[in-house]
Amino acid sequence: MAAAKPGGGTARGSDLLLPSRALTFAPPAFAPSCLRAPCLRARSRYSARACRETPDHHPAPIVSLPSIKTLTPDRAGDVERLLDRAFGPDRRTRTAYRVRGDTTAIAALGFVAVDDGDLIGSIQCWPVALFTDDGDSHPLVMVGPVAVAPERQQDGIGRRLTAAALDAAASTGLDAALMLIGDPEYYGRFFGFSADRTAGWRVPGPVERHRLLARGPAVPDAAGRLGPALRLAA
């Protein structure tokens, strides 16, 4: 239905646009000076017209896309410092750390995100197993933690790191049984993890059952306890 004009009649779609002088916005702290100048009467915050009217225009900073690289031993200290920043110094008390115990991370599945030489993200994977109540054991790969520098946590870096680790697991034949503790909506939507087969799993610490997730054809649907498995660590 067409909208009524203040003076009578109806307004066409184009008439419903507010005059630009009625628009207000607070430019972000990093905004170039042209966004704070009177040239805001232009039709867009970042329009070329606005920029032409102010000679001292400088483009707004663009967030760079970090490189995803294999984690090498010389970066171990950087990863530890990043984990402290991302999760806090008490991170080693978390259930995920208890599940993996003192195992060594699987080297082929470790990756870092590097931006201008700075390490801003990391992922590592660990050899664990489900020791079932009938005396059997089933090896699994525990994915994570995924750590991203707090100031870059909205840039999709964690998703890229997880994808790199899962691709490497597939290429090395380690993707038959994967597990992690994490957000079921996120890891289900993007990576196919679910809690469908983990109801009988016991872990050495508190956990929200819906966050105990797994993926792969060899994931055991059985009762048992999760713990470290040394034989996958090479």
Side-chain angles (χ1 to χ4, degrees):
M1 177 181 292
K5 290 184 177 180
T10 57
R12 296 167 298 178
S14 59
D15 294 328
L16 298 179
L17 296 176
L18 294 173
S20 60
R21 64 177 175 276
L23 299 176
T24 60
F25 104 12
F30 62 77
S33 58
C34 69
L35 299 185
R36 299 186 291 272
C39 64
L40 277 174
R41 65 178 178 270
R43 288 176 172 80
S44 170
R45 299 193 201 180
Y46 299 101
S47 72
R49 295 185 185 185
C51 296
R52 291 195 198 105
E53 296 185 20
T54 306
D56 62 341
H57 166 67
H58 297 285
I62 298 175
V63 176
S64 59
L65 193 65
S67 301
I68 305 299
K69 301 180 178 181
T70 300
L71 172 57
T72 52
D74 61 296
R75 285 289 201 176
D78 294 332
V79 169
E80 290 300 308
R81 286 186 286 273
L82 174 64
L83 288 166
D84 283 340
R85 290 187 63 203
F87 301 113
D90 62 342
R91 58 188 168 87
R92 292 177 179 82
T93 65
R94 296 188 175 200
T95 298
Y97 279 80
R98 301 180 193 178
V99 170
R100 76 189 200 211
D102 294 328
T103 58
T104 301
I106 304 170
L109 307 186
F111 293 89
V112 293
V114 179
D115 189 12
D116 195 23
D118 296 327
L119 191 148
I120 60 171
S122 71
I123 187 170
Q124 292 174 282
C125 300
W126 310 83
V128 299
L130 181 73
F131 300 93
T132 58
D133 293 345
D134 62 6
D136 202 356
S137 64
H138 301 266
L140 301 105
V141 171
M142 186 174 194
V143 179
V146 184
V148 177
E151 67 274 13
R152 299 296 298 271
Q153 288 182 359
Q154 302 301 318
D155 297 343
I157 297 169
R159 184 174 173 183
R160 293 179 62 205
L161 286 165
T162 304
L166 296 181
D167 287 346
S171 66
T172 54
L174 295 176
D175 64 335
L178 306 170
M179 62 81 52
L180 56 81
I181 300 174
D183 180 10
E185 293 186 5
Y186 176 83
Y187 286 104
R189 176 184 177 188
F190 293 114
F191 302 110
F193 283 84
S194 77
D196 293 346
R197 287 173 283 177
T198 66
W201 296 9
R202 300 187 299 275
V203 296
V207 69
E208 296 177 90
R209 303 302 310 181
H210 67 286
R211 294 174 60 85
L212 188 55
L213 310 175
R215 187 188 95 168
V219 171
D221 185 0
R225 63 174 181 85
L226 282 171
L230 300 176
R231 62 179 179 275
L232 286 178

